[in-house]
Amino acid sequence: LHQAHPAMAPDISVVQVPARHFAGVRRRVKPQDIGKLCGEALPRVCQWVKEKGQNTANSICVYFAHDEAAGEFDVQAGWFITGALEGEGDIVVGEMDAGKAAHVVHVGPYDKLGETWGAAWGWVKAQGREVSKPAWEVYVSDPSQVKPEELTTEIYIPLD
């Protein structure tokens, strides 16, 4: 694994990612409210997916856009799922394309993720790569089971 600790420069690599379906709740939120969105959406979406007869894989947040002027992210908190579904109510579904992505693993508390994201975006720009698709986080650890300093989050930035 390519791990980034808050005090260290992250080890960023290019990986091949498969096409994957996902389901979640999409909202515009301030960075400090992403955790609240996840806490509200993840259990509900997981239950909904299971009621539809599918399984969930890792929980994720997909970042569609960052409105710097408003200080908000257009983000979808949800899960990778095993196949296509139709959305319902405020639960929307999507599919990530297969392709190459910058990848880094953040180990540590969620409130330090911004540092790793910043390093990853800096790396992408330094490589002269273009990005036109949403980036995402995969929550490898369960925060109810792991200490904040041991939380593992994978970051993916799809490369054109």
Side-chain angles (χ1 to χ4, degrees), residues 32-72:
Q32 63 269 23
D33 295 329
I34 293 171
K36 180 179 176 187
L37 172 62
C38 288
E40 182 269 324
L42 294 178
R44 188 162 56 89
V45 173
C46 185
Q47 180 65 33
W48 178 83
V49 169
K50 289 181 180 182
E51 288 171 1
K52 299 294 181 190
Q54 287 203 26
N55 292 316
T56 57
N58 296 94
S59 58
I60 61 171
C61 267
V62 181
Y63 294 89
F64 292 94
H66 179 209
D67 182 341
E68 290 186 44
E72 294 179 332

Side-chain angles (χ1 to χ4, degrees), residues 20-154:
R20 300 191 70 178
H21 296 278
F22 62 95
V25 174
R26 186 171 173 178
R27 300 229 171 92
R28 289 181 61 92
V29 298
K30 303 262 184 220
Q32 63 269 23
D33 295 329
I34 293 171
K36 180 179 176 187
L37 172 62
C38 288
E40 182 269 324
L42 294 178
R44 188 162 56 89
V45 173
C46 185
Q47 180 65 33
W48 178 83
V49 169
K50 289 181 180 182
E51 288 171 1
K52 299 294 181 190
Q54 287 203 26
N55 292 316
T56 57
N58 296 94
S59 58
I60 61 171
C61 267
V62 181
Y63 294 89
F64 292 94
H66 179 209
D67 182 341
E68 290 186 44
E72 294 179 332
F73 286 99
D74 177 0
V75 62
Q76 184 169 348
W79 299 85
F80 282 128
I81 56 177
T82 52
L85 287 173
E86 289 290 324
E88 185 177 331
D90 68 343
I91 298 176
V92 293
V93 297
E95 183 177 4
M96 291 178 187
D97 296 331
K100 294 193 182 308
H103 172 256
V104 63
V105 176
H106 171 88
V107 178
Y110 293 144
D111 65 359
K112 299 292 186 190
L113 271 166
E115 296 171 18
T116 306
W117 273 105
W121 281 110
W123 182 90
V124 168
K125 288 179 183 168
Q127 299 297 311
R129 302 300 295 259
E130 296 293 322
V131 176
S132 63
K133 298 174 188 162
W136 68 95
E137 296 172 342
V138 176
Y139 305 110
V140 178
S141 306
D142 180 343
S144 69
Q145 305 291 319
V146 177
K147 296 176 189 172
E149 61 272 11
E150 297 173 357
L151 288 170
T152 301
T153 307
E154 295 184 354

